[in-house]
């Protein structure tokens, strides 16, 4: 029987892509980047490429958090011939200040949380930065749904490492078979949960293909979750 449901935050509940792009568009205009970078789209696409690479280095412990925040902008500016570390740092600081205050949620998030909250304790497990994730939850008005906010910084390790899931079980006072993880990353959220013998649901709105761990479930819409979780609990 499921006794506690854990959600990833970015791209699962909080619309990371839309919120990030809205922030980047604001920064492009505010810092007059059009004088160097031809379009907002070019700025955003180059940033997203470098941001993904920097996060991969961070997950491998090859890059510090404070360096990541401005290095992704430095690499973006460099693509357009601008070697400007101080501007990259200003962009990094402004992005961290502005992005978490964006409020767009993934479609179906509120309705799903409303349906689940009366029946299950809900918590967050995220690899995002501690201070940033709490702002996102409060700004988007969903912080009150969650019992625990478990970040990689708090756990001292990142998903899919077993340590963060062990901390979740300790805080929730639940056994592995009583926990269920919902997330958008099959190699991080789902693989990490399944290695701990948790139930897991891959949120896959784009119908991507991936090799799922045995007994993992899949939904394309968050609105499918309440019925699926009911079925899992009854099985």
């Amino acid at each position: 029987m499921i006794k506690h449901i854990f959600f990833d935050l970015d791209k699962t509940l909080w619309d990371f892509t839309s919120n990030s792009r809205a922030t980047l568009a604001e920064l492009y205009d505010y810092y007059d980047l059009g004088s160097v970078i031809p379009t907002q789209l070019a700025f955003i696409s180059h940033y997203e490429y470098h941001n993904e690479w920097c996060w991969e280095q961070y997950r491998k412990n090859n890059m510090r958090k404070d360096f990541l925040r401005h290095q992704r902008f430095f690499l973006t500016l460099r693509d357009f011939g601008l070697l400007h570390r101080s501007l990259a740092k200003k962009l990094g600081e402004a992005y961290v200040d502005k992005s978490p205050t964006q409020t767009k949620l993934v479609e179906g998030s509120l309705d799903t949380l409303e349906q689940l909250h009366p029946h299950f304790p809900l918590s967050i497990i995220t690899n995002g930065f501690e201070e940033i994730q709490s702002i996102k939850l409060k700004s988007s008005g969903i912080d009150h749904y969650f019992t625990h906010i478990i970040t990689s910084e708090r756990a001292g390790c990142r998903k899919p490492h077993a340590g963060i899931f062990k901390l979740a079980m300790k805080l929730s006072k639940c056994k592995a078979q009583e926990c269920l993880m919902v997330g958008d990353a099959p190699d991080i959220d789902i693989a990490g949960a399944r290695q701990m013998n948790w139930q897991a649901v891959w949120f896959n709105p784009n119908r991507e293909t991936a090799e799922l761990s045995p007994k993992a479930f899949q939904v394309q819409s968050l609105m499918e979750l309440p019925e699926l979780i009911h079925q899992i609990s009854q099985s």
Side-chain angles (χ1 to χ4, degrees):
M1 180 178 291
I2 301 301
K3 291 188 178 180
H4 207 114
I5 301 172
F6 298 87
F7 283 90
D8 176 49
L9 181 57
D10 293 338
K11 299 183 181 180
T12 300
L13 296 173
W14 193 77
D15 191 339
F16 176 87
T17 300
S18 296
N19 291 326
S20 177
R21 288 175 178 176
T23 303
L24 292 168
E26 290 179 21
L27 296 181
Y28 178 88
D29 291 337
Y30 182 82
Y31 286 95
D32 192 27
L33 297 180
S35 60
V36 177
I37 303 173
T39 64
Q40 284 186 0
L41 180 60
F43 174 58
I44 291 170
S45 62
H46 281 250
Y47 167 84
E48 290 180 341
Y49 173 83
H50 291 300
N51 181 57
E52 183 63 31
W53 182 83
C54 286
W55 267 97
E56 182 63 25
Q57 299 310 304
Y58 175 73
R59 285 192 286 267
K60 293 177 179 178
N61 294 314
N62 294 332
M63 188 177 291
R64 301 187 317 273
K65 175 179 75 172
D66 57 339
F67 187 70
L68 177 152
R69 287 178 168 175
H70 59 82
Q71 180 66 4
R72 53 194 177 180
F73 285 101
F74 178 79
L75 295 174
T76 300
L77 296 175
R78 190 183 67 177
D79 286 349
F80 298 93
L82 186 60
L83 300 176
H84 203 318
R85 180 66 67 179
S86 62
L87 176 57
K89 289 183 177 180
K90 288 179 181 178
L91 288 167
E93 291 169 1
Y95 179 87
V96 169
D97 286 341
K98 292 176 179 293
S99 179
T101 65
Q102 301 283 352
T103 60
K104 187 171 183 180
L105 295 171
V106 172
E107 184 177 358
S109 293
L110 279 177
D111 287 341
T112 300
L113 294 174
E114 278 291 315
Q115 290 186 54
L116 293 175
H117 188 249
H119 306 289
F120 300 94
L122 309 176
S123 291
I124 294 288
I125 302 180
T126 172
N127 282 351
F129 303 139
E130 182 98 22
E131 70 277 18
I132 300 300
Q133 301 304 69
S134 61
I135 296 172
K136 291 176 182 177
L137 289 163
K138 291 178 181 177
S139 297
S140 56
I142 60 173
D143 55 312
H144 63 284
Y145 289 109
F146 302 105
T147 305
H148 303 291
I149 311 300
I150 303 162
T151 66
S152 54
E153 287 183 301
R154 182 179 182 184
C157 55
R158 307 177 190 98
K159 294 178 292 183
H161 194 282
I164 196 167
F165 296 95
K166 289 179 180 178
L167 176 59
M169 287 190 288
K170 179 180 178 180
L171 292 173
S172 64
K173 298 179 181 178
C174 288
K175 299 175 182 177
Q177 62 268 28
E178 298 170 335
C179 298
L180 182 141
M181 180 74 203
V182 181
D184 69 287
D187 56 335
I188 297 173
D189 301 310
I190 308 310
R194 287 302 302 145
Q195 74 176 346
M196 297 299 296
N197 293 317
W198 288 25
Q199 301 279 9
V201 180
W202 180 25
F203 172 52
N204 182 21
N206 298 322
R207 301 178 183 273
E208 298 175 359
T209 57
E211 290 188 13
L212 286 183
S213 301
K215 298 184 179 179
F217 299 90
Q218 183 176 164
V219 295
Q220 278 74 53
S221 167
L222 291 176
M223 293 301 292
E224 299 173 50
L225 270 176
E227 177 59 28
L228 175 59
I229 291 171
H230 175 73
Q231 293 174 9
I232 295 171
S233 296
Q234 297 302 312
S235 61

